[in-house]
Amino acid sequence: MRIATLTLCALVAAAHSYATPVFKITEVYAGLSGPDGTPDWIEVTNFGDMDGDTGVLWYDDESEDVGAGAQLTSFMLSPGESAVFLVTEDVTATSVDEFRDIWGPVAKVGTGPDGGGLSQNGDQATILLG
């Protein structure tokens, strides 16, 4: 019985050693100006099997280069959890409040400024490990 218990413990430990967060962009919004608009934003979701810190991620709109991108705000995301990041150079102290006024009570709203805004004429959004 002791050997079976040790084997089971080893299998469980091995399974946990491969657990990892997997971040993916799940929504993109090319913002609109005006009183009913918000800055560009991306939603990032953790599809992995353990918590992960979004602070290790960088956003860029075209070059796929960390040096040209911007570090995302640090949030711990559990598996299946998402966060929204405003991606504009014009983030102000009230940008997050304005976002929530328009889009509703999103719990985790951060920023990824200076990574390049999104064009409504075709663009891309990329997240990279820093």
Side-chain angles (χ1 to χ4, degrees), residues 24-29 41-45 82-85 106 127:
K24 294 182 181 182
I25 295 174
T26 48
E27 192 166 351
V28 176
Y29 176 77
W41 53 265
I42 61 170
E43 178 187 68
V44 175
T45 302
S82 300
V84 170
F85 299 92
V106 177
I127 52 174

Side-chain angles (χ1 to χ4, degrees), residues 19-100:
T20 183
V22 176
F23 296 111
K24 294 182 181 182
I25 295 174
T26 48
E27 192 166 351
V28 176
Y29 176 77
L32 299 172
S33 60
D36 292 332
T38 61
D40 301 347
W41 53 265
I42 61 170
E43 178 187 68
V44 175
T45 302
N46 179 1
F47 286 92
D49 51 9
M50 70 175 292
D51 293 355
D53 185 355
T54 59
V56 303
L57 300 174
W58 292 73
Y59 159 81
D60 188 45
D61 70 334
E62 289 182 0
S63 70
E64 299 182 22
D65 177 16
V66 172
Q71 187 173 15
L72 295 182
T73 303
S74 177
F75 291 120
M76 289 303 293
L77 295 184
S78 299
E81 190 175 19
S82 300
V84 170
F85 299 92
L86 306 178
V87 290
T88 177
E89 295 177 11
D90 299 326
V91 173
T92 66
T94 60
S95 293
V96 172
D97 292 334
E98 290 169 354
F99 175 88
R100 287 186 175 127

